[in-house]
Amino acid sequence: MDLFNKILDYRYPIDVLTYKIVIDGICTNENANAALRFMGKMEKSEFRVDVNVCSMIIDSFFKENQVNEAFNLFREMVAKNIQPDVVMYNSLIHGLCRFGRHKEAMSLFEKMMSQNVSPNVRTCSILVDVLSKQGKMKEAFQIVEMMSQTGVKPNVVTYNSLIHGLCNLGQWNEATKLSHEMVSHGISPDVQTYSILIDYKCKEGKIDEAHHIFEMITEKGDEPDIITYSSLMDGYCLQGRMEEAKRVFDSMVVKGHEADICSYNILINCYCKATKMDEAIQIFNEMQSKRLKPNTTTYTTLIGGFCKVGEVSEAKDLFKDMLARGERPNLFTYGTLMDGLCNNDRFEEANELYNQLEKNGLKADIVIYNIILDGMCKTEKLFEAKELFYSLSTKNLQPNTRTYNIMINGYCKAGMLDEAEALFHVMVEKNLVPNDFTFNILTQGFLVQGIDANMAMHFVNTMIEKGFSLTAETTSKLLNLHAPSGPNHERINMLLNFPQKA
Protein backbone atom coordinates (compact mmCIF):
# COMPACT_ATOMS: atom_id res chain seq x y z
CA MET A 1 0.00 0.00 0.00
CA ASP A 2 2.87 2.40 0.80
CA LEU A 3 4.32 1.87 -2.67
CA PHE A 4 0.90 2.40 -4.25
CA ASN A 5 0.41 5.65 -2.31
CA LYS A 6 3.83 6.88 -3.51
CA ILE A 7 2.76 6.13 -7.09
CA LEU A 8 -0.30 8.29 -6.47
CA ASP A 9 1.81 11.06 -4.90
CA TYR A 10 4.17 11.17 -7.91
CA ARG A 11 1.15 11.01 -10.24
CA TYR A 12 2.46 8.07 -12.19
CA PRO A 13 -0.15 6.54 -14.52
CA ILE A 14 -2.01 3.60 -12.92
CA ASP A 15 -3.71 0.92 -14.95
CA VAL A 16 -6.28 -1.73 -14.02
CA LEU A 17 -3.56 -4.37 -13.62
CA THR A 18 -1.91 -2.34 -10.85
CA TYR A 19 -5.20 -2.17 -8.95
CA LYS A 20 -5.67 -5.92 -9.32
CA ILE A 21 -2.16 -6.66 -8.04
CA VAL A 22 -2.72 -4.49 -4.96
CA ILE A 23 -6.14 -6.06 -4.25
CA ASP A 24 -4.62 -9.53 -4.61
CA GLY A 25 -1.89 -8.58 -2.13
CA ILE A 26 -4.41 -7.23 0.39
CA CYS A 27 -6.50 -10.42 0.09
CA THR A 28 -3.40 -12.57 0.54
CA ASN A 29 -2.83 -10.79 3.85
CA GLU A 30 -6.45 -11.65 4.81
CA ASN A 31 -7.93 -8.18 4.96
CA ALA A 32 -11.03 -8.48 2.79
CA ASN A 33 -12.64 -5.30 4.12
CA ALA A 34 -9.56 -3.26 3.16
CA ALA A 35 -9.63 -4.92 -0.28
CA LEU A 36 -13.31 -3.97 -0.64
CA ARG A 37 -12.52 -0.34 0.23
CA PHE A 38 -9.69 -0.36 -2.30
CA MET A 39 -12.08 -1.73 -4.92
CA GLY A 40 -14.22 1.35 -4.22
CA LYS A 41 -11.21 3.56 -5.01
CA MET A 42 -10.74 1.63 -8.22
CA GLU A 43 -14.35 2.34 -9.26
CA LYS A 44 -13.98 6.05 -8.41
CA SER A 45 -10.95 6.14 -10.72
CA GLU A 46 -13.37 5.05 -13.45
CA PHE A 47 -11.83 1.59 -13.83
CA ARG A 48 -14.39 -1.15 -14.36
CA VAL A 49 -14.40 -3.82 -11.67
CA ASP A 50 -14.54 -7.27 -13.22
CA VAL A 51 -15.47 -10.73 -12.00
CA ASN A 52 -11.84 -11.63 -11.16
CA VAL A 53 -11.52 -8.77 -8.66
CA CYS A 54 -14.81 -9.70 -7.00
CA SER A 55 -13.79 -13.38 -6.85
CA MET A 56 -10.56 -12.50 -5.03
CA ILE A 57 -12.39 -10.47 -2.40
CA ILE A 58 -15.23 -12.98 -1.97
CA ASP A 59 -12.71 -15.78 -1.50
CA SER A 60 -10.92 -13.64 1.10
CA PHE A 61 -14.19 -12.98 2.96
CA PHE A 62 -14.80 -16.73 3.24
CA LYS A 63 -11.26 -17.35 4.49
CA GLU A 64 -11.91 -14.73 7.19
CA ASN A 65 -15.24 -16.41 8.08
CA GLN A 66 -17.28 -13.44 6.85
CA VAL A 67 -19.96 -15.35 4.95
CA ASN A 68 -22.61 -12.61 4.91
CA GLU A 69 -20.12 -10.05 3.57
CA ALA A 70 -19.14 -12.47 0.80
CA PHE A 71 -22.75 -12.84 -0.33
CA ASN A 72 -23.42 -9.09 -0.01
CA LEU A 73 -20.61 -8.48 -2.50
CA PHE A 74 -21.94 -11.25 -4.75
CA ARG A 75 -25.41 -9.65 -4.82
CA GLU A 76 -23.88 -6.21 -5.42
CA MET A 77 -21.84 -7.63 -8.28
CA VAL A 78 -24.91 -9.19 -9.96
CA ALA A 79 -26.79 -5.89 -9.55
CA LYS A 80 -23.95 -4.19 -11.51
CA ASN A 81 -24.40 -6.73 -14.34
CA ILE A 82 -21.07 -8.41 -13.63
CA GLN A 83 -21.72 -12.02 -14.66
CA PRO A 84 -20.36 -14.67 -12.27
CA ASP A 85 -17.97 -17.17 -13.85
CA VAL A 86 -16.96 -20.67 -12.77
CA VAL A 87 -14.16 -19.31 -10.53
CA MET A 88 -16.67 -17.11 -8.70
CA TYR A 89 -19.12 -19.99 -8.23
CA ASN A 90 -16.32 -22.23 -7.00
CA SER A 91 -15.42 -19.69 -4.31
CA LEU A 92 -19.05 -19.43 -3.19
CA ILE A 93 -19.74 -23.18 -3.26
CA HIS A 94 -16.50 -24.02 -1.44
CA GLY A 95 -17.16 -21.30 1.14
CA LEU A 96 -20.65 -22.60 1.87
CA CYS A 97 -19.36 -26.16 2.20
CA ARG A 98 -16.68 -25.03 4.67
CA PHE A 99 -19.45 -23.74 6.93
CA GLY A 100 -21.60 -26.85 6.60
CA ARG A 101 -24.21 -25.11 4.45
CA HIS A 102 -24.37 -28.00 2.00
CA LYS A 103 -27.96 -27.55 0.80
CA GLU A 104 -27.24 -23.93 -0.16
CA ALA A 105 -24.08 -25.08 -1.94
CA MET A 106 -26.07 -27.61 -4.00
CA SER A 107 -28.72 -24.97 -4.80
CA LEU A 108 -25.99 -22.61 -5.99
CA PHE A 109 -24.56 -25.39 -8.15
CA GLU A 110 -27.98 -25.89 -9.75
CA LYS A 111 -28.28 -22.13 -10.31
CA MET A 112 -24.86 -22.11 -11.92
CA MET A 113 -25.93 -24.89 -14.32
CA SER A 114 -29.21 -23.11 -15.13
CA GLN A 115 -27.20 -20.00 -16.14
CA ASN A 116 -25.11 -22.10 -18.54
CA VAL A 117 -21.92 -21.69 -16.51
CA SER A 118 -20.10 -25.00 -17.04
CA PRO A 119 -18.59 -26.54 -13.91
CA ASN A 120 -14.92 -27.45 -14.02
CA VAL A 121 -13.04 -30.21 -12.20
CA ARG A 122 -12.65 -28.02 -9.09
CA THR A 123 -16.42 -27.42 -8.85
CA CYS A 124 -17.17 -31.11 -9.14
CA SER A 125 -14.38 -32.11 -6.75
CA ILE A 126 -15.74 -29.75 -4.08
CA LEU A 127 -19.19 -31.36 -4.31
CA VAL A 128 -17.83 -34.91 -4.49
CA ASP A 129 -15.80 -34.24 -1.35
CA VAL A 130 -18.82 -32.91 0.56
CA LEU A 131 -21.10 -35.78 -0.50
CA SER A 132 -18.41 -38.38 0.28
CA LYS A 133 -17.87 -36.97 3.77
CA GLN A 134 -21.62 -37.23 4.35
CA GLY A 135 -21.57 -40.88 3.23
CA LYS A 136 -23.75 -40.06 0.21
CA MET A 137 -21.67 -42.12 -2.18
CA LYS A 138 -24.48 -42.67 -4.69
CA GLU A 139 -24.88 -38.91 -5.14
CA ALA A 140 -21.08 -38.45 -5.25
CA PHE A 141 -20.78 -40.97 -8.09
CA GLN A 142 -23.66 -39.23 -9.90
CA ILE A 143 -21.53 -36.07 -9.96
CA VAL A 144 -18.65 -38.14 -11.42
CA GLU A 145 -21.02 -39.56 -14.05
CA MET A 146 -22.11 -36.01 -14.95
CA MET A 147 -18.41 -35.09 -15.30
CA SER A 148 -17.84 -37.82 -17.87
CA GLN A 149 -20.96 -36.72 -19.80
CA THR A 150 -19.73 -33.11 -19.96
CA GLY A 151 -16.12 -33.94 -20.76
CA VAL A 152 -14.72 -32.95 -17.36
CA LYS A 153 -12.07 -35.46 -16.27
CA PRO A 154 -11.78 -36.36 -12.55
CA ASN A 155 -8.37 -35.66 -11.04
CA VAL A 156 -6.52 -37.12 -8.07
CA VAL A 157 -8.44 -34.83 -5.68
CA THR A 158 -11.78 -36.20 -6.96
CA TYR A 159 -10.61 -39.81 -6.58
CA ASN A 160 -9.16 -39.16 -3.11
CA SER A 161 -12.54 -37.90 -1.89
CA LEU A 162 -14.33 -40.94 -3.30
CA ILE A 163 -11.79 -43.40 -1.87
CA HIS A 164 -11.97 -41.69 1.53
CA GLY A 165 -15.77 -41.85 1.50
CA LEU A 166 -15.78 -45.55 0.64
CA CYS A 167 -13.18 -46.30 3.34
CA ASN A 168 -15.26 -44.47 5.94
CA LEU A 169 -18.19 -46.72 5.06
CA GLY A 170 -16.00 -49.83 5.33
CA GLN A 171 -16.31 -50.55 1.61
CA TRP A 172 -12.66 -51.52 1.25
CA ASN A 173 -13.07 -53.66 -1.89
CA GLU A 174 -14.78 -50.81 -3.73
CA ALA A 175 -12.08 -48.37 -2.55
CA THR A 176 -9.36 -50.72 -3.84
CA LYS A 177 -11.10 -51.09 -7.20
CA LEU A 178 -11.41 -47.33 -7.48
CA SER A 179 -7.71 -46.82 -6.74
CA HIS A 180 -6.88 -49.29 -9.55
CA GLU A 181 -9.34 -47.53 -11.89
CA MET A 182 -7.65 -44.24 -11.07
CA VAL A 183 -4.23 -45.62 -12.11
CA SER A 184 -5.70 -47.18 -15.28
CA HIS A 185 -6.93 -43.70 -16.27
CA GLY A 186 -3.39 -42.37 -16.02
CA ILE A 187 -3.85 -40.61 -12.67
CA SER A 188 -1.05 -41.38 -10.22
CA PRO A 189 -1.94 -41.69 -6.52
CA ASP A 190 -0.44 -38.90 -4.43
CA VAL A 191 0.65 -38.87 -0.79
CA GLN A 192 -2.92 -38.09 0.31
CA THR A 193 -4.23 -41.18 -1.53
CA TYR A 194 -1.75 -43.39 0.27
CA SER A 195 -2.47 -41.66 3.59
CA ILE A 196 -6.18 -42.45 3.24
CA LEU A 197 -5.44 -46.10 2.50
CA ILE A 198 -2.93 -46.35 5.38
CA ASP A 199 -5.39 -44.78 7.81
CA TYR A 200 -8.13 -47.22 6.83
CA LYS A 201 -5.84 -50.26 7.03
CA CYS A 202 -4.67 -49.17 10.48
CA LYS A 203 -8.23 -48.77 11.76
CA GLU A 204 -9.02 -52.25 10.45
CA GLY A 205 -6.06 -53.61 12.40
CA LYS A 206 -4.12 -54.49 9.23
CA ILE A 207 -0.98 -52.67 10.29
CA ASP A 208 1.43 -54.80 8.22
CA GLU A 209 -0.52 -53.99 5.05
CA ALA A 210 -0.51 -50.32 6.08
CA HIS A 211 3.27 -50.43 6.47
CA HIS A 212 3.59 -52.01 3.02
CA ILE A 213 1.63 -49.10 1.50
CA PHE A 214 3.87 -46.70 3.44
CA GLU A 215 6.95 -48.32 1.87
CA MET A 216 5.38 -47.97 -1.58
CA ILE A 217 5.40 -44.18 -1.14
CA THR A 218 9.13 -44.05 -0.50
CA GLU A 219 9.85 -46.56 -3.29
CA LYS A 220 8.13 -44.16 -5.69
CA GLY A 221 10.50 -41.44 -4.54
CA ASP A 222 7.79 -39.49 -2.71
CA GLU A 223 8.07 -38.36 0.90
CA PRO A 224 5.18 -39.18 3.26
CA ASP A 225 3.76 -36.12 4.99
CA ILE A 226 3.13 -35.70 8.71
CA ILE A 227 -0.46 -36.99 8.34
CA THR A 228 0.84 -40.23 6.79
CA TYR A 229 3.37 -40.72 9.58
CA SER A 230 0.73 -39.97 12.24
CA SER A 231 -1.72 -42.48 10.75
CA LEU A 232 0.91 -45.22 10.78
CA MET A 233 1.93 -44.34 14.35
CA ASP A 234 -1.69 -44.52 15.43
CA GLY A 235 -2.03 -47.92 13.77
CA TYR A 236 0.90 -49.33 15.74
CA CYS A 237 -0.51 -47.79 18.93
CA LEU A 238 -3.86 -49.48 18.36
CA GLN A 239 -1.96 -52.79 18.21
CA GLY A 240 0.01 -51.95 21.37
CA ARG A 241 3.28 -51.95 19.39
CA MET A 242 4.88 -48.96 21.10
CA GLU A 243 8.44 -49.55 19.88
CA GLU A 244 7.37 -49.51 16.22
CA ALA A 245 5.25 -46.39 16.83
CA LYS A 246 8.23 -44.61 18.40
CA ARG A 247 10.45 -45.69 15.49
CA VAL A 248 7.99 -44.15 13.01
CA PHE A 249 7.94 -40.95 15.11
CA ASP A 250 11.76 -40.78 15.21
CA SER A 251 11.98 -41.50 11.46
CA MET A 252 9.55 -38.65 10.79
CA VAL A 253 11.74 -36.22 12.75
CA VAL A 254 14.95 -37.45 11.06
CA LYS A 255 13.33 -36.87 7.65
CA GLY A 256 12.93 -33.19 8.58
CA HIS A 257 9.27 -33.14 9.58
CA GLU A 258 8.50 -31.09 12.66
CA ALA A 259 6.28 -33.15 14.94
CA ASP A 260 3.00 -31.38 15.71
CA ILE A 261 0.62 -31.62 18.65
CA CYS A 262 -1.32 -34.44 16.93
CA SER A 263 1.83 -36.61 16.56
CA TYR A 264 2.77 -36.13 20.20
CA ASN A 265 -0.79 -36.86 21.34
CA ILE A 266 -0.76 -40.18 19.44
CA LEU A 267 2.48 -41.20 21.12
CA ILE A 268 1.24 -40.13 24.57
CA ASN A 269 -1.97 -42.10 24.02
CA CYS A 270 0.10 -45.12 23.02
CA TYR A 271 2.05 -45.10 26.30
CA CYS A 272 -1.05 -44.37 28.39
CA LYS A 273 -2.89 -47.38 26.91
CA ALA A 274 0.11 -49.53 27.81
CA THR A 275 0.07 -47.99 31.34
CA LYS A 276 3.63 -46.70 30.80
CA MET A 277 3.02 -43.37 32.47
CA ASP A 278 6.69 -42.46 32.99
CA GLU A 279 7.25 -42.61 29.23
CA ALA A 280 4.02 -40.71 28.58
CA ILE A 281 5.10 -37.87 30.88
CA GLN A 282 8.54 -37.87 29.27
CA ILE A 283 6.91 -37.29 25.85
CA PHE A 284 4.64 -34.66 27.44
CA ASN A 285 7.69 -32.76 28.75
CA GLU A 286 9.56 -33.13 25.45
CA MET A 287 6.58 -31.68 23.60
CA GLN A 288 6.58 -28.60 25.81
CA SER A 289 10.36 -28.18 25.40
CA LYS A 290 9.61 -27.86 21.66
CA ARG A 291 7.26 -24.95 22.54
CA LEU A 292 4.17 -26.96 21.68
CA LYS A 293 1.25 -26.17 23.96
CA PRO A 294 -0.62 -29.22 25.31
CA ASN A 295 -4.28 -29.15 24.27
CA THR A 296 -7.45 -30.66 25.73
CA THR A 297 -6.74 -34.01 24.05
CA THR A 298 -3.23 -34.14 25.57
CA TYR A 299 -4.48 -33.52 29.09
CA THR A 300 -7.50 -35.81 28.78
CA THR A 301 -5.32 -38.67 27.53
CA LEU A 302 -2.86 -38.29 30.44
CA ILE A 303 -5.67 -37.95 32.99
CA GLY A 304 -7.21 -41.17 31.67
CA GLY A 305 -3.84 -42.91 31.81
CA PHE A 306 -3.20 -41.99 35.44
CA CYS A 307 -6.75 -42.98 36.41
CA LYS A 308 -6.23 -46.35 34.73
CA VAL A 309 -3.19 -47.12 36.93
CA GLY A 310 -4.97 -45.84 40.07
CA GLU A 311 -2.88 -42.67 40.42
CA VAL A 312 -5.88 -40.39 40.74
CA SER A 313 -4.03 -37.63 42.61
CA GLU A 314 -1.69 -37.18 39.63
CA ALA A 315 -4.74 -37.07 37.36
CA LYS A 316 -6.28 -34.34 39.52
CA ASP A 317 -3.02 -32.37 39.47
CA LEU A 318 -3.00 -32.50 35.68
CA PHE A 319 -6.60 -31.29 35.64
CA LYS A 320 -5.61 -28.31 37.83
CA ASP A 321 -2.58 -27.61 35.60
CA MET A 322 -4.86 -27.66 32.58
CA LEU A 323 -7.16 -25.05 34.11
CA ALA A 324 -4.22 -22.90 35.23
CA ARG A 325 -2.89 -22.80 31.66
CA GLY A 326 -6.25 -21.67 30.29
CA GLU A 327 -7.04 -24.95 28.54
CA ARG A 328 -10.76 -25.61 28.87
CA PRO A 329 -11.82 -29.17 29.75
CA ASN A 330 -14.60 -30.64 27.63
CA LEU A 331 -17.23 -33.20 28.61
CA PHE A 332 -14.88 -36.05 27.76
CA THR A 333 -12.22 -34.62 30.09
CA TYR A 334 -14.71 -34.33 32.96
CA GLY A 335 -16.07 -37.80 32.25
CA THR A 336 -12.60 -39.35 32.18
CA LEU A 337 -11.61 -37.90 35.55
CA MET A 338 -15.03 -38.57 37.13
CA ASP A 339 -14.94 -42.19 35.98
CA GLY A 340 -11.42 -42.56 37.36
CA LEU A 341 -12.48 -41.14 40.72
CA CYS A 342 -15.51 -43.45 40.92
CA ASN A 343 -13.43 -46.51 40.00
CA ASN A 344 -11.00 -45.62 42.77
CA ASP A 345 -13.71 -45.26 45.45
CA ARG A 346 -13.71 -41.45 45.45
CA PHE A 347 -17.33 -40.85 44.49
CA GLU A 348 -17.77 -37.64 46.51
CA GLU A 349 -14.93 -36.00 44.57
CA ALA A 350 -16.52 -37.16 41.30
CA ASN A 351 -19.78 -35.58 42.39
CA GLU A 352 -18.00 -32.30 43.16
CA LEU A 353 -16.54 -32.39 39.66
CA TYR A 354 -20.02 -32.92 38.23
CA ASN A 355 -21.20 -29.76 40.03
CA GLN A 356 -18.17 -27.86 38.71
CA LEU A 357 -18.97 -29.02 35.18
CA GLU A 358 -22.42 -27.46 35.30
CA LYS A 359 -21.11 -24.23 36.85
CA ASN A 360 -18.70 -23.92 33.93
CA GLY A 361 -21.59 -23.92 31.48
CA LEU A 362 -21.30 -27.48 30.18
CA LYS A 363 -24.42 -29.62 29.88
CA ALA A 364 -23.97 -33.17 31.16
CA ASP A 365 -24.81 -35.88 28.62
CA ILE A 366 -25.92 -39.47 29.22
CA VAL A 367 -22.27 -40.61 29.53
CA ILE A 368 -21.74 -38.26 32.50
CA TYR A 369 -24.98 -39.36 34.16
CA ASN A 370 -24.02 -43.02 33.66
CA ILE A 371 -20.82 -42.35 35.61
CA ILE A 372 -22.76 -40.65 38.42
CA LEU A 373 -25.37 -43.43 38.54
CA ASP A 374 -22.65 -46.08 38.64
CA GLY A 375 -20.93 -44.25 41.49
CA MET A 376 -24.18 -43.99 43.43
CA CYS A 377 -24.89 -47.70 43.03
CA LYS A 378 -21.37 -48.67 44.06
CA THR A 379 -21.64 -46.52 47.20
CA GLU A 380 -25.02 -48.07 48.04
CA LYS A 381 -26.96 -44.88 47.31
CA LEU A 382 -29.55 -46.79 45.36
CA PHE A 383 -32.48 -44.55 46.33
CA GLU A 384 -30.65 -41.45 45.02
CA ALA A 385 -29.65 -43.40 41.89
CA LYS A 386 -33.27 -44.39 41.29
CA GLU A 387 -34.43 -40.78 41.62
CA LEU A 388 -31.77 -39.56 39.21
CA PHE A 389 -32.53 -42.36 36.74
CA TYR A 390 -36.22 -41.47 36.55
CA SER A 391 -35.43 -37.73 36.25
CA LEU A 392 -33.32 -38.17 33.09
CA SER A 393 -36.31 -37.64 30.80
CA THR A 394 -36.84 -34.18 32.36
CA LYS A 395 -33.29 -33.33 31.25
CA ASN A 396 -34.12 -34.34 27.64
CA LEU A 397 -31.87 -37.40 27.96
CA GLN A 398 -32.72 -40.96 27.04
CA PRO A 399 -31.16 -43.80 29.07
CA ASN A 400 -29.12 -46.19 26.93
CA THR A 401 -28.20 -49.86 27.39
CA ARG A 402 -25.37 -48.96 29.75
CA THR A 403 -27.72 -46.84 31.90
CA TYR A 404 -30.12 -49.77 32.32
CA ASN A 405 -27.25 -52.17 33.01
CA ILE A 406 -25.99 -49.93 35.81
CA MET A 407 -29.42 -49.78 37.46
CA ILE A 408 -30.13 -53.51 36.98
CA ASN A 409 -26.73 -54.31 38.47
CA GLY A 410 -27.46 -51.98 41.40
CA TYR A 411 -30.79 -53.73 42.07
CA CYS A 412 -29.19 -57.19 41.81
CA LYS A 413 -26.40 -56.30 44.24
CA ALA A 414 -29.03 -55.02 46.69
CA GLY A 415 -31.07 -58.22 46.34
CA MET A 416 -33.97 -56.36 44.66
CA LEU A 417 -34.49 -58.97 41.96
CA ASP A 418 -38.11 -58.11 41.18
CA GLU A 419 -37.10 -54.50 40.44
CA ALA A 420 -34.14 -55.72 38.35
CA GLU A 421 -36.33 -58.03 36.27
CA ALA A 422 -39.01 -55.36 35.85
CA LEU A 423 -36.42 -52.86 34.62
CA PHE A 424 -35.09 -55.46 32.19
CA HIS A 425 -38.57 -55.77 30.64
CA VAL A 426 -38.91 -51.95 30.46
CA MET A 427 -35.58 -51.84 28.66
CA VAL A 428 -36.75 -54.37 26.06
CA GLU A 429 -40.09 -52.55 25.63
CA LYS A 430 -38.16 -49.36 24.84
CA ASN A 431 -36.33 -51.22 22.03
CA LEU A 432 -32.99 -51.06 23.80
CA VAL A 433 -30.98 -54.19 23.07
CA PRO A 434 -29.66 -56.02 26.17
CA ASN A 435 -26.04 -57.14 25.81
CA ASP A 436 -24.01 -59.96 27.36
CA PHE A 437 -23.35 -57.83 30.46
CA THR A 438 -27.12 -57.44 31.01
CA PHE A 439 -27.69 -61.19 30.97
CA ASN A 440 -24.62 -61.97 33.07
CA ILE A 441 -25.59 -59.59 35.89
CA LEU A 442 -29.18 -60.87 35.94
CA THR A 443 -28.02 -64.50 35.97
CA GLN A 444 -25.55 -63.79 38.79
CA GLY A 445 -28.19 -61.82 40.69
CA PHE A 446 -30.58 -64.77 40.82
CA LEU A 447 -27.78 -67.25 41.59
CA VAL A 448 -26.34 -65.22 44.46
CA GLN A 449 -29.72 -64.92 46.16
CA GLY A 450 -30.28 -68.66 45.61
CA ILE A 451 -34.02 -68.25 45.40
CA ASP A 452 -34.74 -68.95 41.74
CA ALA A 453 -32.27 -71.14 39.85
CA ASN A 454 -34.83 -71.66 37.07
CA MET A 455 -34.94 -67.92 36.38
CA ALA A 456 -31.13 -67.89 36.26
CA MET A 457 -31.19 -70.70 33.70
CA HIS A 458 -33.84 -68.84 31.73
CA PHE A 459 -31.43 -65.94 31.28
CA VAL A 460 -28.61 -68.36 30.39
CA ASN A 461 -30.75 -70.00 27.69
CA THR A 462 -31.66 -66.57 26.32
CA MET A 463 -27.96 -65.74 26.19
CA ILE A 464 -27.31 -68.92 24.19
CA GLU A 465 -30.06 -68.03 21.72
CA LYS A 466 -28.63 -64.54 21.23
CA GLY A 467 -25.04 -65.73 20.87
CA PHE A 468 -23.72 -63.97 23.99
CA SER A 469 -20.91 -65.25 26.22
CA LEU A 470 -20.83 -66.11 29.90
CA THR A 471 -18.25 -64.44 32.11
CA ALA A 472 -15.96 -66.69 34.13
CA GLU A 473 -17.75 -65.52 37.31
CA THR A 474 -21.18 -66.49 35.94
CA THR A 475 -19.89 -69.88 34.78
CA SER A 476 -18.34 -70.58 38.18
CA LYS A 477 -21.61 -69.82 39.98
CA LEU A 478 -23.55 -72.04 37.58
CA LEU A 479 -21.13 -74.97 37.96
CA ASN A 480 -21.67 -74.79 41.72
CA LEU A 481 -25.42 -75.04 41.22
CA HIS A 482 -26.60 -78.58 42.03
CA ALA A 483 -29.91 -80.18 41.40
CA PRO A 484 -31.54 -81.98 44.40
CA SER A 485 -30.43 -85.33 42.99
CA GLY A 486 -26.83 -84.27 42.55
CA PRO A 487 -24.76 -82.48 39.90
CA ASN A 488 -26.47 -81.96 36.56
CA HIS A 489 -23.78 -83.36 34.21
CA GLU A 490 -25.66 -82.31 31.09
CA ARG A 491 -25.70 -78.70 32.31
CA ILE A 492 -22.01 -78.86 33.27
CA ASN A 493 -21.02 -80.17 29.83
CA MET A 494 -23.12 -77.46 28.19
CA LEU A 495 -21.41 -74.74 30.25
CA LEU A 496 -17.92 -76.06 29.67
CA ASN A 497 -18.50 -75.94 25.89
CA PHE A 498 -20.16 -72.53 26.07
CA PRO A 499 -18.13 -69.49 24.83
CA GLN A 500 -16.80 -67.48 27.78
CA LYS A 501 -15.61 -63.95 28.36
CA ALA A 502 -12.71 -63.13 30.62
Side-chain angles (χ1 to χ4, degrees):
M1 282 300 294
D2 289 341
L3 181 60
F4 182 82
N5 289 329
K6 283 181 181 179
I7 292 172
L8 288 177
D9 290 340
Y10 289 115
R11 299 189 178 182
Y12 288 123
I14 301 171
D15 59 9
V16 69
L17 181 60
T18 309
Y19 273 103
K20 286 183 178 181
I21 290 169
V22 174
I23 288 172
D24 183 47
I26 297 170
C27 290
T28 302
N29 288 311
E30 296 188 358
N31 195 341
N33 287 306
L36 187 63
R37 288 193 296 271
F38 197 77
M39 188 184 82
K41 284 185 181 181
M42 182 179 174
E43 288 179 303
K44 286 177 183 177
S45 300
E46 297 183 356
F47 285 109
R48 178 174 169 77
V49 172
D50 63 16
V51 67
N52 294 329
V53 172
C54 294
S55 290
M56 283 190 282
I57 300 174
I58 283 174
D59 194 51
S60 186
F61 272 130
F62 276 118
K63 286 176 181 174
E64 296 171 39
N65 302 331
Q66 299 187 63
V67 182
N68 293 334
E69 288 79 357
F71 274 95
N72 287 339
L73 178 55
F74 174 68
R75 283 187 284 269
E76 184 183 319
M77 184 192 89
V78 173
K80 291 177 181 176
N81 290 320
I82 301 171
Q83 294 304 313
D85 62 3
V86 66
V87 176
M88 166 73 70
Y89 275 111
N90 286 350
S91 293
L92 291 164
I93 290 168
H94 185 245
L96 287 168
C97 290
R98 271 188 61 223
F99 288 91
R101 294 163 65 168
H102 304 136
K103 286 184 179 179
E104 292 171 74
M106 291 303 295
S107 296
L108 201 60
F109 175 70
E110 289 167 7
K111 182 179 180 180
M112 169 185 173
M113 297 286 284
S114 69
Q115 293 182 344
N116 295 318
V117 179
S118 299
N120 60 17
V121 66
R122 174 162 166 73
T123 324
C124 298
S125 293
I126 292 166
L127 294 173
V128 166
D129 186 57
V130 168
L131 292 166
S132 296
K133 283 176 179 173
Q134 291 179 321
K136 297 178 178 178
M137 298 312 299
K138 182 181 177 182
E139 292 87 340
F141 278 106
Q142 284 172 350
I143 297 287
V144 175
E145 178 62 28
M146 183 208 72
M147 290 172 75
S148 65
Q149 291 172 1
T150 54
V152 180
K153 292 183 178 179
N155 60 14
V156 67
V157 176
T158 321
Y159 276 105
N160 284 347
S161 296
L162 291 167
I163 291 168
H164 199 190
L166 291 169
C167 286
N168 285 339
L169 293 173
Q171 297 178 16
W172 170 247
N173 290 333
E174 289 80 356
T176 305
K177 286 177 189 175
L178 196 62
S179 65
H180 292 155
E181 177 191 307
M182 169 177 152
V183 174
S184 70
H185 288 167
I187 301 169
S188 297
D190 62 7
V191 170
Q192 189 184 355
T193 319
Y194 289 120
S195 294
I196 292 165
L197 297 175
I198 286 169
D199 183 60
Y200 179 74
K201 286 288 187 182
C202 288
K203 285 174 180 172
E204 287 290 293
K206 299 173 181 177
I207 186 64
D208 293 329
E209 291 180 35
H211 195 90
H212 175 69
I213 296 170
F214 182 84
E215 287 175 339
M216 284 171 60
I217 303 174
T218 54
E219 285 168 7
K220 279 184 62 185
D222 293 330
E223 173 57 29
D225 61 16
I226 195 165
I227 296 171
T228 321
Y229 278 105
S230 295
S231 295
L232 191 61
M233 280 169 54
D234 198 34
Y236 279 122
C237 287
L238 289 170
Q239 296 282 314
R241 293 162 68 174
M242 286 87 68
E243 289 182 8
E244 286 99 327
K246 186 65 167 66
R247 273 201 292 271
V248 173
F249 179 87
D250 292 339
S251 172
M252 176 181 76
V253 175
V254 167
K255 291 288 177 69
H257 295 285
E258 196 169 325
D260 61 7
I261 189 71
C262 179
S263 309
Y264 276 107
N265 282 347
I266 289 169
L267 212 51
I268 288 169
N269 184 47
C270 191
Y271 284 120
C272 286
K273 281 187 173 179
T275 65
K276 294 189 174 184
M277 297 312 298
D278 289 341
E279 289 87 342
I281 288 295
Q282 186 180 334
I283 297 295
F284 177 67
N285 292 332
E286 179 189 317
M287 177 181 78
Q288 293 178 90
S289 72
K290 304 282 185 184
R291 296 187 177 180
L292 285 171
K293 184 184 176 185
N295 60 15
T296 303
T297 302
T298 320
Y299 280 107
T300 305
T301 304
L302 285 166
I303 287 167
F306 277 115
C307 287
K308 189 176 179 181
V309 296
E311 297 181 23
V312 187
S313 296
E314 284 78 359
K316 287 185 72 177
D317 287 342
L318 273 166
F319 186 80
K320 289 174 187 173
D321 182 57
M322 180 183 187
L323 294 172
R325 294 182 184 222
E327 199 65 40
R328 189 174 178 184
N330 57 23
L331 272 182
F332 188 61
T333 317
Y334 277 103
T336 301
L337 184 52
M338 286 169 63
D339 195 44
L341 289 165
C342 287
N343 288 335
N344 286 277
D345 301 322
R346 294 166 72 165
F347 174 69
E348 293 306 323
E349 292 173 65
N351 204 34
E352 286 171 16
L353 207 59
Y354 162 71
N355 294 328
Q356 183 182 326
L357 173 159
E358 295 211 314
K359 284 177 185 175
N360 289 338
L362 291 172
K363 187 179 178 183
D365 60 8
I366 194 64
V367 175
I368 297 292
Y369 280 110
N370 283 347
I371 293 166
I372 293 294
L373 285 168
D374 196 36
M376 286 177 171
C377 290
K378 284 176 179 175
T379 52
E380 299 181 359
K381 295 181 178 179
L382 195 56
F383 179 76
E384 291 92 330
K386 186 177 177 180
E387 280 192 328
L388 180 59
F389 174 79
Y390 285 107
S391 73
L392 289 174
S393 58
T394 66
K395 304 176 192 295
N396 294 319
L397 292 171
Q398 293 301 318
N400 57 22
T401 298
R402 172 155 171 73
T403 321
Y404 277 94
N405 283 348
I406 289 165
M407 291 304 299
I408 290 169
N409 192 36
Y411 284 135
C412 286
K413 297 283 185 189
M416 300 167 67
L417 299 181
D418 289 342
E419 289 84 348
E421 190 184 351
L423 199 57
F424 170 79
H425 292 303
V426 170
M427 177 185 182
V428 174
E429 286 167 12
K430 290 186 178 290
N431 295 319
L432 286 170
V433 181
N435 56 24
D436 51 355
F437 184 74
T438 321
F439 288 106
N440 273 287
I441 56 178
L442 281 163
T443 303
Q444 289 178 33
F446 281 98
L447 289 172
V448 168
Q449 297 301 316
I451 56 173
D452 197 340
N454 290 329
M455 183 57 74
M457 288 309 301
H458 163 73
F459 285 118
V460 170
N461 290 329
T462 309
M463 285 179 77
I464 295 170
E465 290 169 9
K466 294 184 178 294
F468 291 131
S469 303
L470 293 170
T471 62
E473 187 180 353
T474 308
T475 305
S476 175
K477 285 181 168 57
L478 281 165
L479 287 172
N480 291 328
L481 182 65
H482 295 285
S485 58
N488 187 322
H489 297 290
E490 183 182 347
R491 180 184 297 157
I492 290 171
N493 288 330
M494 176 193 75
L495 293 171
L496 290 174
N497 292 313
F498 192 68
Q500 294 183 27
K501 291 186 75 176

